[in-house]
Amino acid sequence: MTDALTTLSVDWCTGRNGIFVIAAAAAVVTGVFVANHLNPADKDAERFKKLAKLPSPPGAVPILGHLLVVGTSPHLKFSEWGKTLGPIFAVKMGSSRTWVVHNSPDVVRDILDRRGATFSDRVQTHLLEAISGNGDMFFMSANGPYLRAWRKHTNNTISKTRLEKDYSNIFKSETKRLLLNLLERGNVGPEGIDPFDDVYLYVINVISLIVFGKNFTKDDADYRQVLQITIDFIQVGSKVLEEFFPFLSPLYRGAIGRAAKVQFEIQQVFGRFVDEVKQDMKEGNERNCACNEYLKAQETDEEGHLYDKASKFWLGGCYGRTLCGPGGCASFIFAGADTSAIALLGGMSMLARQPEIQDRAFAEIKANIGLDRLPNDMDESSLPYTNAIITELLRFRPPSWFGIPHSNLYDEEYNGYHIPANSAHVINVHGLHFDPDTYPDPYAFKPERHLDADNTRQHYAFGAGRRICPGAFLAEKLIFTTLARLLWAFRIEPSLDAQGNPVEVPMPDITKPTPIPPRINVRFVPRHDNVERLCRA
Ligand code: HEM
């Protein structure tokens, strides 16, 4: 419109062809009239049509989109495409929505961080709705008052300050249990042990104590159920074909039924845990846990934001979709356990491969903390090198290359490009973390690169914007306390073969789209005599 008016006034002033000017004026007036009487959506549609399309790689075919060319390591392909397509580009994964790949820190900041109000929805499919109880599990909740209320409470409940004030003992006691298990079995024979089960039990216990005030032993029936549901949740929830080919949805009924069954089990098992917290509360024995806090917040929720009235989900009326529903509390276990365990097991494999890093960290711990006490979750500022190991770990092998995609409900514009409504937005974590301009020699595991880092964001492992991982402080404290204590207590060494030669410890496989923790066999060799005494104290 501005352009048309400019042209008109120029023509008018130069006095060329009056008829033309009148016709143009009439056209503009008609245009103004029509534009003013179109509904806003139509006006927007006109505006968006004029915008440029996002750059897109070659090789898309009807129905399949880029699926054939994207291959089995999409994150590596995205990084390759990013080199020619620039900071933002679009791919078609099947026949459904546009996938927008964020390929530079500026794009992540401009879109996800700064325009969080519009880019904080989640991609929905029938299967995801079923498995998440229609968003009862927060990582799938739509953007809105319910999500905002929940995030506000959560940011407070597991903030850095609250973790230090209320939950520090959990990190301390659970790491001691882990260390004692490793001490007992970790250096018995040359074959060492696979720490997988110990690490999973430990991580689930830390999170469950913070959320429900409850922990498990590995033989507890409750623990076995939690593990089974977690496995089912990941298996059923990761069936992405419905997302890629929505027109085949009648064929997904079986999978959707299985997803609803997993959600039902979540309500049953985690519902029991919530009931235990409620019961203790009723009896005047309030537990120091997030669930207790949510229950209380719900009681005083006068505006009703903590209960999502839009929920279609109803399970025999047992809980509805509330802040403290079992699904909500279970979200912490599902979002936090696997990710943290992957980071810890990846860390153990990287440390076993690079003993010089262990020695440098041990020297730092010995100099700044000493051997007469274990390092704890509040020693972060005294142990910069140990902290740098964790940052490097989250850069080098983040637990997910894509996080959880964000979505925008409506058409949007970015830098002259049209971003279609309902696009899925993914951060190209691999591309950003292996950019040689930001991280020279990116394929080397070098904690020291973070020692002199300024305040800029060091990695994108926790996502961005309004949906950024609310458990990031918890995860960082958990990983820090565990690794600092492991480094204080042990040398993590490769197992030995029949001839007594060290067996190479595998690195987490970078080609897998979802980093899976490597199954490793390592030996935990105590560094000094204080380990057992102080862990039993
Ligand atoms: C190393 C460990 C962890 C990593 C790498 C990680 C990473 C992520 C990522 C990438 C997202 C999506 C962010 C986005 O949409 O931009 C996320 C969401 C989430 N994480 Fe974590 N996470 C970790 C640990 C935890 C822990 C310990 C908890 C809680 C106990 C947790 C709870 C959540 C929840 C509830 C969400 C959903 C938030 C929402 O949708 O608004 N995470 N996490």
Side-chain angles (χ1 to χ4, degrees):
M1 181 64 70
T2 322
D3 285 346
L5 283 173
T6 316
T7 314
L8 177 62
S9 63
V10 170
D11 278 348
W12 185 267
C13 293
T14 51
R16 280 187 286 142
N17 197 337
I19 296 285
F20 202 74
V21 171
I22 291 165
V28 169
V29 171
T30 315
V32 171
F33 179 83
V34 171
N36 283 341
H37 288 78
L38 278 176
N39 76 39
D42 292 342
K43 260 201 277 180
D44 276 353
E46 283 306 306
R47 183 165 73 85
F48 290 122
K49 241 191 249 165
K50 290 186 191 139
L51 295 173
K53 282 192 170 169
L54 285 166
S56 188
V61 293
I63 302 177
L64 295 175
H66 290 96
L67 279 182
L68 290 179
V69 280
V70 95
T72 50
S73 305
H75 54 301
L76 301 184
K77 201 65 178 174
F78 287 0
S79 300
E80 189 189 314
W81 283 334
K83 285 183 193 143
T84 48
L85 295 172
I88 181 166
F89 60 92
V91 289
K92 278 298 228 189
M93 305 290 278
S95 65
S96 72
R97 69 193 91 237
T98 299
W99 284 64
V100 180
V101 182
H102 295 213
N103 197 37
S104 88
D106 287 351
V107 171
V108 176
R109 192 197 50 228
D110 291 350
I111 296 187
L112 300 186
D113 291 343
R114 295 200 173 143
R115 291 169 66 183
T118 29
F119 289 92
S120 295
D121 257 288
R122 289 293 192 213
V123 167
Q124 291 292 351
T125 64
H126 293 109
L127 188 136
L128 289 174
E129 277 181 8
I131 204 162
S132 71
N134 194 29
D136 182 34
M137 306 194 73
F138 299 113
F139 41 85
M140 288 312 301
S141 293
N143 190 11
Y146 173 64
L147 180 81
R148 280 197 295 279
W150 171 76
R151 285 205 63 119
K152 194 177 113 206
H153 279 277
T154 301
N155 288 343
N156 176 37
T157 311
I158 52 174
S159 67
K160 193 163 187 260
T161 326
R162 290 292 306 281
L163 288 168
E164 288 175 359
K165 184 168 142 294
D166 293 335
Y167 301 121
S168 185
N169 277 339
I170 293 175
F171 296 113
K172 289 183 185 134
S173 61
E174 291 304 309
T175 39
K176 281 185 179 177
R177 281 222 279 175
L178 174 70
L179 260 56
L180 283 172
N181 280 342
L182 300 178
L183 185 68
E184 219 165 82
R185 299 183 299 110
N187 191 30
V188 176
E191 70 285 0
I193 56 161
D194 178 352
F196 190 93
D197 291 343
D198 299 273
V199 167
Y200 263 82
L201 175 67
Y202 159 72
V203 165
I204 288 183
N205 275 341
V206 171
I207 299 175
S208 173
L209 278 166
I210 291 174
V211 179
F212 298 109
K214 169 188 181 74
N215 62 354
F216 312 94
T217 65
K218 74 176 177 4
D219 301 317
D220 282 350
D222 276 348
Y223 179 62
R224 310 253 43 112
Q225 272 185 309
V226 169
L227 270 190
Q228 192 53 52
I229 296 179
T230 313
I231 294 167
D232 294 347
F233 186 85
I234 293 168
Q235 265 175 5
V236 179
S238 55
K239 300 213 177 310
V240 287
L241 278 188
E242 189 200 3
E243 159 58 25
F244 296 161
F245 305 110
F247 64 91
L248 292 178
S249 77
L251 303 181
Y252 305 128
R253 286 212 187 104
I256 293 169
R258 280 195 294 284
K261 187 166 165 275
V262 175
Q263 175 55 216
F264 185 76
E265 283 161 8
I266 290 171
Q267 297 287 327
Q268 298 293 303
V269 173
F270 290 92
R272 249 188 306 115
F273 299 170
V274 175
D275 283 345
E276 289 170 13
V277 179
K278 270 188 190 161
Q279 189 58 32
D280 277 2
M281 194 192 233
K282 236 192 247 162
E283 291 168 6
N285 303 319
E286 281 190 26
R287 292 189 192 182
N288 181 25
C289 67
C291 177
N292 190 74
E293 212 163 301
Y294 288 155
L295 286 166
K296 281 165 82 176
Q298 216 155 266
E299 276 170 16
T300 52
D301 173 34
E302 279 160 16
E303 288 168 26
H305 285 159
L306 302 180
Y307 184 83
D308 188 354
K309 298 178 198 78
S311 172
K312 291 173 271 171
F313 187 72
W314 189 77
L315 264 174
C318 60
Y319 284 100
R321 178 159 138 182
T322 57
L323 179 69
C324 197
C329 288
S331 302
F332 287 102
I333 308 267
F334 291 151
D338 224 36
T339 43
S340 306
I342 288 175
L344 283 177
L345 289 160
M348 289 179 188
S349 79
M350 293 315 299
L351 290 170
R353 292 170 62 87
Q354 290 183 242
E356 68 286 359
I357 295 181
Q358 298 190 52
D359 290 345
R360 182 165 171 187
F362 179 70
E364 176 184 77
I365 295 169
K366 196 171 166 196
N368 297 334
I369 308 293
L371 300 182
D372 294 330
R373 75 164 173 93
L374 287 125
N376 65 47
D377 60 299
M378 281 182 272
D379 288 324
E380 285 155 331
S381 56
S382 321
L383 302 176
Y385 184 73
T386 311
N387 241 328
I389 295 178
I390 290 148
T391 312
E392 180 66 345
L393 192 59
L394 293 172
R395 176 195 78 85
F396 192 75
R397 289 295 185 272
S400 162
W401 293 117
F402 296 119
I404 311 174
H406 291 220
S407 183
N408 53 299
L409 280 184
Y410 305 106
D411 289 282
E412 298 290 340
E413 175 184 351
Y414 174 66
N415 272 3
Y417 290 122
H418 174 213
I419 300 188
N422 292 318
S423 297
H425 294 260
V426 285
I427 302 175
N428 182 11
V429 174
H430 176 269
L432 298 185
H433 286 194
F434 287 83
D435 176 358
D437 293 336
T438 320
Y439 307 103
D441 194 8
Y443 289 91
F445 186 78
K446 284 186 181 168
E448 60 276 17
R449 68 170 88 241
H450 304 285
L451 282 176
D452 300 321
D454 52 21
N455 277 339
T456 54
R457 194 182 290 194
Q458 296 292 299
H459 63 77
Y460 292 82
F462 292 119
R466 285 198 187 174
R467 306 299 293 245
I468 196 167
C469 175
F473 288 127
L474 200 168
E476 281 174 346
K477 280 208 171 288
L478 186 152
I479 300 169
F480 174 81
T481 318
T482 321
L483 288 188
R485 289 185 162 202
L486 281 173
L487 289 160
W488 171 89
F490 302 112
R491 265 195 192 87
I492 306 173
E493 295 191 356
S495 59
L496 303 173
D497 66 16
Q499 286 70 45
N501 299 316
V503 178
E504 192 184 338
V505 178
M507 256 203 273
D509 184 352
I510 199 168
T511 64
K512 295 268 183 291
T514 309
I516 300 170
R519 299 305 295 245
I520 51 172
N521 259 57
V522 286
R523 292 174 301 131
F524 293 89
V525 184
R527 279 194 183 260
H528 49 88
D529 294 338
N530 287 353
V531 179
E532 178 158 13
R533 184 174 59 81
L534 291 181
C535 286
R536 290 205 190 280

